[in-house]
Amino acid sequence: MSGVMRRRHRVFSRRFGSRDTPALPPALRYAVLVLYLGFLLFPIYWLVVTSLKRPSDLLTGTARDFFPTNPTFEEYEVLRFSDSNLYDSLI
């Protein structure tokens, strides 16, 4: 390896890490991945859980709201049988 190449290799390895640096342990890597996926999927979960609540239950927030005890499809039935064009736009 020439002197220029060695210098470039040193600069690159300092900036981006070399192949000799140890990687994260697999358990830690998967833990980070699970936390990241939970962070990404939580808003979708919350959207679905909130849509299954009654309007009167929306403002009474407690810790057990993460798992609704009495889910209802009332609001979906209202959308389905209403005269709005929302149902037609979904088709």
Side-chain angles (χ1 to χ4, degrees), residues 46 60-68:
W46 191 256
T60 58
T62 60
R64 65 175 181 253
D65 287 341
F66 287 105
F67 306 103

Side-chain angles (χ1 to χ4, degrees), residues 11-18 21:
V11 170
F12 181 80
S13 65
R14 265 189 261 140
R15 284 188 191 161
F16 303 108
S18 66
T21 58

Side-chain angles (χ1 to χ4, degrees), residues 3 9 14 16 21 25 30 34-36 40 48-49 52 54 56 63 66 69 72 74 81 83-85 87:
H9 178 70
R14 265 189 261 140
F16 303 108
T21 58
Y30 288 123
V34 166
L35 287 173
Y36 182 68
L40 290 178
V48 171
V49 166
L52 296 176
R54 292 189 176 98
S56 60
F66 287 105
T69 55
T72 180
E74 286 178 12
F81 295 115
D83 291 333
S84 70
N85 294 328
Y87 184 70

Side-chain angles (χ1 to χ4, degrees), residues 18-84:
S18 66
R19 292 181 182 173
D20 299 334
T21 58
L24 289 175
L28 182 61
R29 189 179 315 153
Y30 288 123
V32 169
L33 180 65
V34 166
L35 287 173
Y36 182 68
L37 286 175
F39 178 76
L40 290 178
L41 295 177
F42 180 75
I44 297 170
Y45 169 76
W46 191 256
L47 181 98
V48 171
V49 166
T50 305
S51 73
L52 296 176
K53 294 180 184 177
R54 292 189 176 98
S56 60
D57 295 337
L58 291 176
L59 298 177
T60 58
T62 60
R64 65 175 181 253
D65 287 341
F66 287 105
F67 306 103
T69 55
N70 299 321
T72 180
F73 290 97
E74 286 178 12
E75 301 303 319
Y76 289 106
E77 291 174 8
V78 169
L79 280 176
R80 183 175 171 212
F81 295 115
S82 69
D83 291 333
S84 70

